[in-house]
Structures are given as C-alpha cells and as structure tokens.
Amino acid sequence: MTTANKLTLLRVILIPVFLIVLYWGFPGASWVALVIFILASLTDMLDGYIARHYNQITNFGKFMDPLADKMLTMAAMCWFVQSGAMAGWVLAVVLLREFAVSGMRLVAVEQGRVIAAAWSGKVKTAATMLCICAMLAFRFAWLDVLSQAVILVTTVYSGVEYFVKNRDVFTGGV
C-alpha cells in the first residue's frame, strides 16, 4: 500500500475519533475535535501531493480520496445539524449535490469518459473544511450562518458548473 493511500485511510480512521470526541463532550472537546479535523484535512492535501509527486496514483486512491473527503465533511455537518449549529436543509443541499455529481460521473464512465475534479469542486472542499474549522473553533451564531452561506454558495456553484460543463453526458440517449 502506498504512502498516499495510507494517508487516505488515516483520514477515514480519524472520522470516528473526531465524532467520539464531539459526542463525548468533555470540556475542550471542540478544540480537540478541531485539531483532529485539521489533521484529517491536511492528510487530504498531503496524500494528493505525494500521489502526484511520487507517482503513487492508484485506482484505490482515485476512489477512496474523494470519498474520504465527503465522509469527513458530512460527518462534521451531521454533528452540526444534530447540535443545532447548522440547518438540516443546508446539509440536504450538500448531499444532493454530492449524489448528483457522483451520478453524473457514473453515467460518464459508462460512456468511457472520466470527469475530473473541477477547480470549483476543490474550492468547495477547501471552503467547506475551513468553515467547519471556524464553526468548531468559534461558537458564534453569526459565524455559523456565514459559514453555512459560504458552504451553500460554493456547493451550488460547483454543482452547477459540473452539470453545465458536462451536459453532453446526458444528450447521448433517453
């Protein structure tokens, strides 16, 4: 197993640790959870760099890396919804975008196409991770609202961009 894939797996392993710390709720738990979330987020940047720089790109990594990102951010957003810091409909919009883009990619694969991650998708992921960090670090209602707005705007924009740029995926048949 490559170093890049090990880092991706570490990110997945950190997700339940992150959630256990949040649900345990001891004094300072949100700060510990923030550190865990930052470490997990950094593995995303590091595994991608290592995979490209040291030619460690694998099919497992292509599959698991974006899935691990989604698992990490969705776990955090589910906790925010349950704790009342995030509206459930915001999470629903994010989930809808993820399912829609994944579905479009499946249709494209059947046509022999690969839809690579767009720049706006990378911005969406980075913005979401930064907003989650802000929400964990600072418990201000206005910051929660601002973070949700940033997550929504980047999510919707990147989703629309994926569909506009790749609309020909759906014009091939009924």
Side-chain angles (χ1 to χ4, degrees):
M1 178 166 288
T2 67
T3 302
N5 288 345
K6 288 177 184 174
L7 287 168
T8 299
L9 286 177
L10 175 61
R11 185 160 65 257
V12 172
I13 291 166
L14 286 173
I15 295 166
V17 176
F18 167 74
L19 289 173
I20 288 168
V21 167
L22 284 173
Y23 282 105
W24 194 357
F26 58 85
S30 64
W31 289 105
V32 174
L34 173 63
V35 169
I36 294 167
F37 187 86
I38 289 170
L39 287 172
S41 297
L42 290 175
T43 67
D44 180 33
M45 294 186 327
L46 190 57
D47 69 8
Y49 171 79
I50 289 171
R52 286 184 297 277
H53 189 73
Y54 295 102
N55 196 26
Q56 293 185 5
I57 297 170
T58 65
N59 287 334
F60 176 81
K62 289 178 191 177
F63 168 74
M64 199 63 205
D65 179 60
L67 181 59
D69 295 342
K70 289 167 186 42
M71 291 166 56
L72 177 64
T73 56
M74 295 303 163
M77 287 191 272
C78 285
W79 184 81
F80 285 129
V81 168
Q82 186 172 1
S83 68
M86 180 177 277
W89 66 268
V90 173
L91 176 58
V93 169
V94 173
L95 285 168
L96 174 66
R97 182 259 184 216
E98 297 304 339
F99 283 128
V101 169
S102 295
M104 180 181 60
R105 284 189 164 132
L106 287 174
V107 172
V109 164
E110 287 181 359
Q111 298 172 2
R113 291 181 49 187
V114 174
I115 298 175
W119 180 249
S120 65
K122 294 177 186 287
V123 169
K124 175 212 48 108
T125 299
T128 299
M129 288 180 170
L130 286 173
C131 288
I132 289 170
C133 287
M135 291 174 72
L136 285 167
F138 309 105
R139 296 314 315 245
F140 301 119
W142 66 267
L143 183 61
D144 291 348
V145 171
L146 177 63
S147 295
Q148 289 175 78
V150 169
I151 290 169
L152 273 172
V153 167
T154 57
T155 295
V156 170
Y157 179 85
S158 69
V160 168
E161 182 184 59
Y162 272 103
F163 278 89
V164 168
K165 285 186 174 180
N166 298 288
R167 64 186 170 273
D168 61 313
V169 166
F170 300 108
T171 59
V174 176

